[in-house]
PDB file of all heavy atoms in Angstrom:
ATOM      1  N   GLY Y 291     120.330  88.307  98.806  1.00 93.00           N
ATOM      2  CA  GLY Y 291     121.445  89.227  99.038  1.00 93.00           C
ATOM      3  C   GLY Y 291     121.575  89.649 100.490  1.00 93.00           C
ATOM      4  O   GLY Y 291     122.675  89.930 100.970  1.00 93.00           O
ATOM      5  N   GLN Y 292     120.454  89.718 101.203  1.00 94.00           N
ATOM      6  CA  GLN Y 292     120.495  90.110 102.609  1.00 94.00           C
ATOM      7  C   GLN Y 292     121.225  89.061 103.440  1.00 94.00           C
ATOM      8  O   GLN Y 292     122.028  89.386 104.304  1.00 94.00           O
ATOM      9  CB  GLN Y 292     119.075  90.289 103.147  1.00 94.00           C
ATOM     10  CG  GLN Y 292     118.329  91.450 102.516  1.00 94.00           C
ATOM     11  CD  GLN Y 292     118.872  92.789 102.976  1.00 94.00           C
ATOM     12  OE1 GLN Y 292     118.968  93.051 104.159  1.00 94.00           O
ATOM     13  NE2 GLN Y 292     119.251  93.617 102.025  1.00 94.00           N
ATOM     14  N   GLU Y 294     123.431  86.975 102.233  1.00 93.00           N
ATOM     15  CA  GLU Y 294     124.829  86.968 101.814  1.00 93.00           C
ATOM     16  C   GLU Y 294     125.600  88.121 102.425  1.00 93.00           C
ATOM     17  O   GLU Y 294     126.741  87.967 102.869  1.00 93.00           O
ATOM     18  CB  GLU Y 294     124.917  87.037 100.285  1.00 93.00           C
ATOM     19  CG  GLU Y 294     124.432  85.757  99.627  1.00 93.00           C
ATOM     20  CD  GLU Y 294     124.551  85.789  98.124  1.00 93.00           C
ATOM     21  OE1 GLU Y 294     124.799  86.878  97.561  1.00 93.00           O
ATOM     22  OE2 GLU Y 294     124.381  84.729  97.505  1.00 93.00           O
ATOM     23  N   ALA Y 295     124.961  89.300 102.458  1.00 94.00           N
ATOM     24  CA  ALA Y 295     125.645  90.453 103.033  1.00 94.00           C
ATOM     25  C   ALA Y 295     125.937  90.208 104.514  1.00 94.00           C
ATOM     26  O   ALA Y 295     127.018  90.506 105.009  1.00 94.00           O
ATOM     27  CB  ALA Y 295     124.796  91.717 102.861  1.00 94.00           C
ATOM     28  N   ALA Y 297     126.243  87.283 105.968  1.00 93.00           N
ATOM     29  CA  ALA Y 297     127.276  86.253 106.069  1.00 93.00           C
ATOM     30  C   ALA Y 297     128.648  86.854 105.791  1.00 93.00           C
ATOM     31  O   ALA Y 297     129.623  86.576 106.498  1.00 93.00           O
ATOM     32  CB  ALA Y 297     126.984  85.124 105.089  1.00 93.00           C
ATOM     33  N   ALA Y 298     128.726  87.699 104.755  1.00 93.00           N
ATOM     34  CA  ALA Y 298     130.014  88.265 104.375  1.00 93.00           C
ATOM     35  C   ALA Y 298     130.597  89.135 105.482  1.00 93.00           C
ATOM     36  O   ALA Y 298     131.803  89.347 105.555  1.00 93.00           O
ATOM     37  CB  ALA Y 298     129.872  89.084 103.089  1.00 93.00           C
ATOM     38  N   GLY Y 302     126.726  85.189 112.294  1.00 90.00           N
ATOM     39  CA  GLY Y 302     126.299  83.790 112.301  1.00 90.00           C
ATOM     40  C   GLY Y 302     124.803  83.675 112.045  1.00 90.00           C
ATOM     41  O   GLY Y 302     124.117  84.680 111.848  1.00 90.00           O
ATOM     42  N   LYS Y 305     122.393  85.521 114.682  1.00 92.00           N
ATOM     43  CA  LYS Y 305     122.499  86.980 114.585  1.00 92.00           C
ATOM     44  C   LYS Y 305     121.921  87.477 113.269  1.00 92.00           C
ATOM     45  O   LYS Y 305     121.255  88.509 113.217  1.00 92.00           O
ATOM     46  CB  LYS Y 305     123.957  87.421 114.727  1.00 92.00           C
ATOM     47  CG  LYS Y 305     124.393  87.500 116.165  1.00 92.00           C
ATOM     48  CD  LYS Y 305     125.853  87.865 116.286  1.00 92.00           C
ATOM     49  CE  LYS Y 305     126.269  87.691 117.737  1.00 92.00           C
ATOM     50  NZ  LYS Y 305     127.730  87.556 117.859  1.00 92.00           N
ATOM     51  N   LEU Y 309     118.915  90.008 113.672  1.00 92.00           N
ATOM     52  CA  LEU Y 309     119.220  91.411 113.395  1.00 92.00           C
ATOM     53  C   LEU Y 309     118.849  91.845 111.980  1.00 92.00           C
ATOM     54  O   LEU Y 309     118.536  93.006 111.741  1.00 92.00           O
ATOM     55  CB  LEU Y 309     120.717  91.676 113.606  1.00 92.00           C
ATOM     56  CG  LEU Y 309     121.251  91.397 115.003  1.00 92.00           C
ATOM     57  CD1 LEU Y 309     122.761  91.411 115.014  1.00 92.00           C
ATOM     58  CD2 LEU Y 309     120.703  92.425 115.978  1.00 92.00           C
ATOM     59  N   GLN Y 314     112.991  92.497 109.184  1.00 91.00           N
ATOM     60  CA  GLN Y 314     112.372  92.834 107.898  1.00 91.00           C
ATOM     61  C   GLN Y 314     111.182  91.935 107.606  1.00 91.00           C
ATOM     62  O   GLN Y 314     110.139  92.405 107.140  1.00 91.00           O
ATOM     63  CB  GLN Y 314     113.396  92.672 106.775  1.00 91.00           C
ATOM     64  CG  GLN Y 314     114.553  93.638 106.861  1.00 91.00           C
ATOM     65  CD  GLN Y 314     115.493  93.464 105.679  1.00 91.00           C
ATOM     66  OE1 GLN Y 314     115.107  93.620 104.537  1.00 91.00           O
ATOM     67  NE2 GLN Y 314     116.729  93.125 105.967  1.00 91.00           N
ATOM     68  N   THR Y 393     110.422 102.457 106.372  1.00 72.00           N
ATOM     69  CA  THR Y 393     111.694 103.161 106.208  1.00 72.00           C
ATOM     70  C   THR Y 393     111.936 103.570 104.761  1.00 72.00           C
ATOM     71  O   THR Y 393     113.049 103.825 104.353  1.00 72.00           O
ATOM     72  CB  THR Y 393     112.880 102.309 106.698  1.00 72.00           C
ATOM     73  OG1 THR Y 393     112.815 101.046 106.036  1.00 72.00           O
ATOM     74  CG2 THR Y 393     112.843 102.115 108.188  1.00 72.00           C
ATOM     75  N   LYS Y 396     112.660 100.667  98.784  1.00 47.00           N
ATOM     76  CA  LYS Y 396     112.018 100.022  97.637  1.00 47.00           C
ATOM     77  C   LYS Y 396     112.683  98.675  97.441  1.00 47.00           C
ATOM     78  O   LYS Y 396     113.846  98.501  97.744  1.00 47.00           O
ATOM     79  CB  LYS Y 396     112.216 100.871  96.376  1.00 47.00           C
ATOM     80  CG  LYS Y 396     111.537 102.214  96.470  1.00 47.00           C
ATOM     81  CD  LYS Y 396     112.296 103.249  95.672  1.00 47.00           C
ATOM     82  CE  LYS Y 396     113.249 104.018  96.544  1.00 47.00           C
ATOM     83  NZ  LYS Y 396     114.066 104.986  95.978  1.00 47.00           N
TER      84      LYS Y 396
ATOM     85  N   ARG N  64     133.540  84.404  95.163  1.00 92.00           N
ATOM     86  CA  ARG N  64     132.628  84.089  96.267  1.00 92.00           C
ATOM     87  C   ARG N  64     133.054  82.831  97.021  1.00 92.00           C
ATOM     88  O   ARG N  64     132.588  82.586  98.135  1.00 92.00           O
ATOM     89  CB  ARG N  64     131.195  83.945  95.743  1.00 92.00           C
ATOM     90  CG  ARG N  64     130.569  85.302  95.390  1.00 92.00           C
ATOM     91  CD  ARG N  64     129.435  85.151  94.399  1.00 92.00           C
ATOM     92  NE  ARG N  64     128.376  84.327  94.931  1.00 92.00           N
ATOM     93  CZ  ARG N  64     127.330  84.799  95.606  1.00 92.00           C
ATOM     94  NH1 ARG N  64     127.213  86.090  95.805  1.00 92.00           N
ATOM     95  NH2 ARG N  64     126.417  84.003  96.069  1.00 92.00           N
ATOM     96  N   GLU N  92     133.260  81.873 109.751  1.00 89.00           N
ATOM     97  CA  GLU N  92     132.882  83.199 110.249  1.00 89.00           C
ATOM     98  C   GLU N  92     134.119  84.019 110.589  1.00 89.00           C
ATOM     99  O   GLU N  92     134.181  85.223 110.339  1.00 89.00           O
ATOM    100  CB  GLU N  92     131.975  83.062 111.479  1.00 89.00           C
ATOM    101  CG  GLU N  92     130.538  82.754 111.095  1.00 89.00           C
ATOM    102  CD  GLU N  92     129.675  82.342 112.276  1.00 89.00           C
ATOM    103  OE1 GLU N  92     130.047  82.637 113.430  1.00 89.00           O
ATOM    104  OE2 GLU N  92     128.622  81.723 112.038  1.00 89.00           O
ATOM    105  N   ARG N  95     135.525  85.312 107.412  1.00 91.00           N
ATOM    106  CA  ARG N  95     134.676  86.345 106.809  1.00 91.00           C
ATOM    107  C   ARG N  95     134.863  87.708 107.462  1.00 91.00           C
ATOM    108  O   ARG N  95     134.655  88.739 106.844  1.00 91.00           O
ATOM    109  CB  ARG N  95     133.207  85.924 106.900  1.00 91.00           C
ATOM    110  CG  ARG N  95     132.845  84.866 105.871  1.00 91.00           C
ATOM    111  CD  ARG N  95     131.451  84.374 106.080  1.00 91.00           C
ATOM    112  NE  ARG N  95     131.053  83.410 105.045  1.00 91.00           N
ATOM    113  CZ  ARG N  95     130.003  82.621 105.151  1.00 91.00           C
ATOM    114  NH1 ARG N  95     129.238  82.674 106.229  1.00 91.00           N
ATOM    115  NH2 ARG N  95     129.700  81.784 104.183  1.00 91.00           N
ATOM    116  N   ASN N 106     123.170  95.274  98.545  1.00 93.00           N
ATOM    117  CA  ASN N 106     122.713  94.468  99.692  1.00 93.00           C
ATOM    118  C   ASN N 106     122.834  95.188 101.021  1.00 93.00           C
ATOM    119  O   ASN N 106     123.207  94.593 102.033  1.00 93.00           O
ATOM    120  CB  ASN N 106     123.465  93.135  99.759  1.00 93.00           C
ATOM    121  CG  ASN N 106     123.207  92.281  98.538  1.00 93.00           C
ATOM    122  OD1 ASN N 106     122.344  92.608  97.724  1.00 93.00           O
ATOM    123  ND2 ASN N 106     123.941  91.205  98.414  1.00 93.00           N
ATOM    124  N   LEU N 107     122.503  96.468 101.017  1.00 93.00           N
ATOM    125  CA  LEU N 107     122.430  97.171 102.305  1.00 93.00           C
ATOM    126  C   LEU N 107     121.202  96.659 103.047  1.00 93.00           C
ATOM    127  O   LEU N 107     120.281  96.126 102.442  1.00 93.00           O
ATOM    128  CB  LEU N 107     122.316  98.681 102.074  1.00 93.00           C
ATOM    129  CG  LEU N 107     123.556  99.325 101.479  1.00 93.00           C
ATOM    130  CD1 LEU N 107     123.300 100.801 101.204  1.00 93.00           C
ATOM    131  CD2 LEU N 107     124.755  99.168 102.399  1.00 93.00           C
ATOM    132  N   PHE N 108     121.204  96.856 104.365  1.00 94.00           N
ATOM    133  CA  PHE N 108     120.059  96.414 105.165  1.00 94.00           C
ATOM    134  C   PHE N 108     119.025  97.543 105.184  1.00 94.00           C
ATOM    135  O   PHE N 108     119.249  98.577 105.804  1.00 94.00           O
ATOM    136  CB  PHE N 108     120.506  96.052 106.577  1.00 94.00           C
ATOM    137  CG  PHE N 108     121.619  95.024 106.586  1.00 94.00           C
ATOM    138  CD1 PHE N 108     122.765  95.229 107.327  1.00 94.00           C
ATOM    139  CD2 PHE N 108     121.514  93.866 105.820  1.00 94.00           C
ATOM    140  CE1 PHE N 108     123.788  94.284 107.320  1.00 94.00           C
ATOM    141  CE2 PHE N 108     122.530  92.921 105.813  1.00 94.00           C
ATOM    142  CZ  PHE N 108     123.673  93.135 106.558  1.00 94.00           C
ATOM    143  N   PRO N 109     117.898  97.355 104.506  1.00 92.00           N
ATOM    144  CA  PRO N 109     116.984  98.473 104.289  1.00 92.00           C
ATOM    145  C   PRO N 109     116.289  98.965 105.554  1.00 92.00           C
ATOM    146  O   PRO N 109     115.798 100.088 105.582  1.00 92.00           O
ATOM    147  CB  PRO N 109     115.962  97.911 103.298  1.00 92.00           C
ATOM    148  CG  PRO N 109     116.029  96.437 103.468  1.00 92.00           C
ATOM    149  CD  PRO N 109     117.436  96.118 103.861  1.00 92.00           C
ATOM    150  N   HIS N 110     116.255  98.124 106.599  1.00 90.00           N
ATOM    151  CA  HIS N 110     115.542  98.534 107.811  1.00 90.00           C
ATOM    152  C   HIS N 110     116.451  99.282 108.774  1.00 90.00           C
ATOM    153  O   HIS N 110     115.996  99.708 109.828  1.00 90.00           O
ATOM    154  CB  HIS N 110     114.949  97.311 108.503  1.00 90.00           C
ATOM    155  CG  HIS N 110     115.977  96.318 108.949  1.00 90.00           C
ATOM    156  ND1 HIS N 110     116.874  95.734 108.086  1.00 90.00           N
ATOM    157  CD2 HIS N 110     116.274  95.832 110.174  1.00 90.00           C
ATOM    158  CE1 HIS N 110     117.660  94.913 108.760  1.00 90.00           C
ATOM    159  NE2 HIS N 110     117.314  94.957 110.024  1.00 90.00           N
ATOM    160  N   TRP N 123     128.314  93.704 116.801  1.00 93.00           N
ATOM    161  CA  TRP N 123     127.828  92.352 117.114  1.00 93.00           C
ATOM    162  C   TRP N 123     128.860  91.272 116.837  1.00 93.00           C
ATOM    163  O   TRP N 123     128.811  90.209 117.426  1.00 93.00           O
ATOM    164  CB  TRP N 123     126.548  92.045 116.328  1.00 93.00           C
ATOM    165  CG  TRP N 123     125.374  92.782 116.853  1.00 93.00           C
ATOM    166  CD1 TRP N 123     124.914  93.989 116.407  1.00 93.00           C
ATOM    167  CD2 TRP N 123     124.525  92.419 117.945  1.00 93.00           C
ATOM    168  NE1 TRP N 123     123.827  94.378 117.146  1.00 93.00           N
ATOM    169  CE2 TRP N 123     123.564  93.430 118.088  1.00 93.00           C
ATOM    170  CE3 TRP N 123     124.481  91.318 118.802  1.00 93.00           C
ATOM    171  CZ2 TRP N 123     122.570  93.395 119.063  1.00 93.00           C
ATOM    172  CZ3 TRP N 123     123.492  91.275 119.772  1.00 93.00           C
ATOM    173  CH2 TRP N 123     122.547  92.312 119.893  1.00 93.00           C
ATOM    174  N   LYS N 126     132.376  93.010 118.620  1.00 92.00           N
ATOM    175  CA  LYS N 126     132.058  93.364 120.010  1.00 92.00           C
ATOM    176  C   LYS N 126     132.645  94.711 120.422  1.00 92.00           C
ATOM    177  O   LYS N 126     133.045  94.892 121.568  1.00 92.00           O
ATOM    178  CB  LYS N 126     132.545  92.286 120.985  1.00 92.00           C
ATOM    179  CG  LYS N 126     132.167  90.875 120.582  1.00 92.00           C
ATOM    180  CD  LYS N 126     130.765  90.538 121.015  1.00 92.00           C
ATOM    181  CE  LYS N 126     130.426  89.100 120.675  1.00 92.00           C
ATOM    182  NZ  LYS N 126     128.999  88.884 120.500  1.00 92.00           N
ATOM    183  N   TYR N 152     117.970 106.285 105.563  1.00 91.00           N
ATOM    184  CA  TYR N 152     117.824 104.872 105.241  1.00 91.00           C
ATOM    185  C   TYR N 152     118.303 104.627 103.802  1.00 91.00           C
ATOM    186  O   TYR N 152     118.203 105.525 102.964  1.00 91.00           O
ATOM    187  CB  TYR N 152     116.362 104.444 105.389  1.00 91.00           C
ATOM    188  CG  TYR N 152     115.936 104.337 106.830  1.00 91.00           C
ATOM    189  CD1 TYR N 152     115.289 105.384 107.464  1.00 91.00           C
ATOM    190  CD2 TYR N 152     116.241 103.198 107.569  1.00 91.00           C
ATOM    191  CE1 TYR N 152     114.925 105.299 108.806  1.00 91.00           C
ATOM    192  CE2 TYR N 152     115.886 103.099 108.896  1.00 91.00           C
ATOM    193  CZ  TYR N 152     115.225 104.154 109.512  1.00 91.00           C
ATOM    194  OH  TYR N 152     114.884 104.052 110.831  1.00 91.00           O
ATOM    195  N   GLY N 154     117.080 103.238 101.296  1.00 89.00           N
ATOM    196  CA  GLY N 154     116.093 103.535 100.257  1.00 89.00           C
ATOM    197  C   GLY N 154     116.036 104.994  99.844  1.00 89.00           C
ATOM    198  O   GLY N 154     115.491 105.328  98.813  1.00 89.00           O
TER     199      GLY N 154
END
Side-chain angles (χ1 to χ4, degrees):
Chain Y
Q292 294 289 306
E294 291 182 348
K305 278 177 190 160
L309 300 168
Q314 295 183 60
T393 54
K396 296 149 265 178
Chain N
R64 286 157 61 91
E92 280 169 20
R95 283 174 177 165
N106 297 351
L107 292 176
F108 305 130
H110 62 303
W123 287 94
K126 312 277 183 206
Y152 287 96

